[in-house]
Amino acid sequence: MPLLSCQNLSLGYDGIEIVKNLSFDVNSCDYLCIVGENGSGKTTLMKTLLGLQSPMGGRVITGDGLMQNEIGYLPQQTIVQRDFPASVWEVVLSGCQGHSGLRPFYNKAEKKLAKENIEKMGLSGLEKRCYRELSGGQQQRVLLARALCATKKILLLDEPVSGLDPRVTAEMYALIEELNRKEGITIIMISHDISAAVRYASHILHMGDTEFFGTKAEYIDSDIGKSFAKGGRIL
C-alpha cells in the first residue's frame, strides 16, 4: 500500500475550486517534486496533505501506519518567522511536540533526538544561538532539523531553498537528497526550479492547466516536461 494516496482530490478555498479530481500515490522512499505555475494549487495541496485544510472532494489516505503527527514539515518562511526570538535548541526540540502529547516537558529520548538532528544538520555548537541571528541557510537547516524530530518516514518541504544563494541552495539540495537516499525518508517538495526537480526527484507532479504525474523519466519525455524542463525553466 502507498505511504500516501490522493484519490480524486478537489481543492480550493473560499468556495472556489482550483484543482479537480487529482489522483496520485507516493510510495516509501519516493522523492516527489511538485511543480507548476503560481496559483495552480501547490501550497493548497501541501496544506491538505498536512491535514491543515480539508479537500472539497476526494480523500487522502495514509498507509504503512503513517500517522498525521509523523509528518515532518518545513514551511515557507515569512519575515516574522525569520525574526523568531528563540534559541536553535528550542526551535529544533519543538519538533518533538507531536510525540509529547499533553506532557509539559520533553523526555530524554526527545532531547536525544533533537541533539542527533542538530548534529546531522551540521549545527553543533549553535544550540544556544538565537535563531534570528543565523544566516538564511543556517535557519533552513534548523527548520529541517526540527522537521526531522517529527518523523522518520516523510518530509513535506515548501520551497526549502527560496531566497538562498546558489552555494547554500546546492548544500540544502544535497542534504535533502542524502536524507532520501541514505536514510530512506520519503520527500514531497514544492519547487519552482524545474532543473532541480528533474535532477533530484524520482517522481514529478505538475499542476496547472495541464496536469501530469509520473516518474522523472516519464516527465522528461512528456510534452509538458519538454516544454518546461528544456533549459531548466523556472516557473
Side-chain angles (χ1 to χ4, degrees):
M1 181 178 180
L3 187 63
L4 188 149
S5 181
C6 294
Q7 300 180 355
N8 300 312
L9 283 185
S10 292
L11 308 173
Y13 48 86
D14 297 332
I16 301 173
E17 190 176 56
I18 57 176
V19 177
K20 290 184 179 181
N21 299 320
L22 178 64
S23 297
F24 64 93
D25 292 338
V26 179
N27 293 305
S28 181
C29 298
D30 280 355
Y31 190 144
L32 172 65
C33 272
I34 304 173
V35 300
E37 298 84 350
N38 288 329
S40 60
K42 301 186 296 296
T43 297
T44 302
L45 172 60
M46 187 75 81
K47 290 179 179 178
T48 302
L49 299 181
L50 288 163
L52 301 176
Q53 181 171 324
S54 298
M56 298 177 73
R59 57 181 182 164
V60 178
I61 301 173
T62 57
D64 194 27
L66 179 66
M67 305 294 289
Q68 200 71 51
N69 66 350
E70 294 179 311
I71 299 176
Y73 178 45
L74 194 162
Q76 285 192 59
Q77 278 206 87
T78 65
I79 293 176
V80 173
Q81 289 169 329
R82 290 191 182 99
D83 201 36
F84 193 59
S87 70
V88 168
W89 174 252
E90 290 169 332
V91 173
V92 175
L93 189 59
S94 70
C96 296
Q97 283 181 348
H99 306 297
S100 61
L102 298 177
R103 273 190 284 112
F105 60 89
Y106 297 105
N107 61 30
K108 289 184 179 179
E110 290 159 351
K111 291 177 181 178
K112 181 174 181 289
L113 179 62
K115 184 175 184 296
E116 290 172 350
N117 286 322
I118 285 173
E119 293 174 353
K120 189 178 296 181
M121 291 298 104
L123 297 167
S124 296
L126 298 179
E127 291 88 347
K128 295 182 180 180
R129 284 279 300 276
C130 184
Y131 175 79
R132 64 185 176 189
E133 296 175 354
L134 303 178
S135 68
Q138 289 172 327
Q139 286 186 345
Q140 288 299 82
R141 285 173 181 253
V142 170
L143 294 181
L144 190 52
R146 180 184 186 276
L148 286 170
C149 284
T151 189
K152 292 183 178 179
K153 294 183 178 180
I154 184 169
L155 284 172
L156 273 58
L157 313 174
D158 193 348
E159 297 186 36
V161 300
S162 179
L164 303 181
D165 66 45
R167 179 184 62 81
V168 178
T169 292
E171 291 173 353
M172 181 62 68
Y173 278 137
L175 277 174
I176 295 167
E177 182 181 35
E178 184 171 335
L179 291 172
N180 175 246
R181 294 190 177 183
K182 293 187 178 180
E183 300 195 21
I185 295 177
T186 303
I187 303 293
I188 299 179
M189 179 174 71
I190 292 177
S191 177
H192 278 87
D193 188 345
I194 292 290
S195 61
V198 168
R199 178 177 179 182
Y200 295 105
S202 64
H203 294 75
I204 293 178
L205 171 64
H206 192 122
M207 300 178 68
D209 294 335
T210 301
E211 290 181 352
F212 172 93
F213 173 74
T215 65
K216 173 171 62 178
E218 291 169 341
Y219 180 70
I220 293 172
D221 197 45
S222 69
D223 289 340
I224 191 169
K226 289 176 181 176
S227 173
F228 284 94
K230 187 176 181 181
R233 180 173 176 180
I234 298 178
L235 301 175

